[in-house]
Amino acid sequence: MRLVFVVNDAAVEIEAVAEDMTLVDLLRDLLGLTGTKRGCESRTCGACSVLVDGRLTRACRTTAQDVESRHVTTIEGLRGPDGDLSDLQNAMLDHGAVQCGYCTPAMVVAAEALLRRNPSPTRAEIRSAINGILCRCTGYQQIVDAIEATSRGRRAARSSGETASTAHSGSSQ
Ligand code: FES
Ligand code: FES
């Protein structure tokens, strides 16, 4: 099939791609976006999480056909407005919330999805939002702290009328 979709705000056109090629393979192998990880490849671990039209989606069980004409946002598209780290990514560094390279990108994607649909989540809601990103190496405490701090920072920036250093919102929302 000929696939036309949007990845991190850029239109992408691929002339010949198998309809059932997985999105994670498409992103990593055809587009070089290796921030999205292959983990279990069975919809269990969450390492392959991306946003499709703003919704948290497992790329290992999403096909090329599924993303036709859709907007996909990967961890590479969640940079700050200046191209540097986003406020969320900086908060994770500040709170010592950075885990391994498999789960951390997915944690950021899941947290960003949450904060965009719910700017003031409770700690329980934060835990629930990242629950699907499996990591047995952490108690998630610092990750929850970082997401909570980001939420506070964005709300404070909004109420003070300043331009928040939020992640690049893009056209996928
Ligand atoms: S690689 Fe997709 S859920 Fe594990
Ligand atoms: S899976 Fe990444 S630190 Fe546990």
Side-chain angles (χ1 to χ4, degrees):
M1 68 177 282
R2 176 173 167 272
L3 173 65
V4 180
F5 68 143
V6 175
V7 181
N8 299 334
D9 294 333
V12 173
E13 194 174 324
I14 305 174
E15 273 310 318
V17 59
E19 288 180 3
D20 61 352
M21 184 175 197
T22 64
L23 179 57
V24 69
D25 288 348
L26 193 63
L27 293 170
R28 291 179 58 88
D29 301 341
L30 297 190
L31 301 179
L33 295 169
T34 54
T36 303
K37 304 304 184 200
R38 274 191 205 98
C40 65
E41 298 189 81
S42 61
R43 213 195 291 261
T44 301
C45 73
C48 63
S49 296
V50 297
L51 304 182
V52 176
D53 289 345
R55 295 173 65 92
L56 193 63
T57 301
R58 307 235 156 158
C60 71
R61 283 293 186 264
T62 303
T63 66
Q65 198 169 32
D66 295 332
V67 294
E68 169 68 26
S69 302
R70 298 193 179 274
H71 292 255
V72 175
T73 306
T74 69
I75 184 66
E76 290 88 349
L78 293 179
R79 63 196 180 283
D82 55 1
D84 208 339
L85 296 180
S86 72
D87 55 348
L88 171 61
Q89 290 164 331
N90 277 316
M92 290 184 72
L93 284 176
D94 292 345
H95 287 80
V98 178
Q99 303 290 131
C100 78
Y102 270 85
C103 62
T104 300
M107 293 284 186
V108 171
V109 171
E112 193 59 52
L114 169 67
L115 292 173
R116 290 180 184 187
R117 73 170 188 276
N118 178 4
S120 307
T122 62
R123 287 183 74 82
E125 287 169 334
I126 294 172
R127 281 195 171 272
S128 170
I130 59 174
N131 198 30
I133 316 299
L134 299 188
C135 167
R136 291 295 171 253
C137 328
T138 175
Y140 292 83
Q141 184 70 31
Q142 290 121 309
I143 300 167
V144 174
D145 291 345
I147 297 169
E148 196 174 41
T150 304
S151 166
R152 268 198 309 274
R154 290 185 186 183
R155 278 183 280 132
R158 269 195 299 274
S159 63
S160 69
E162 294 170 12
T163 303
S165 176
T166 57
H168 191 56
S169 61
S171 55
S172 61
Q173 301 311 300

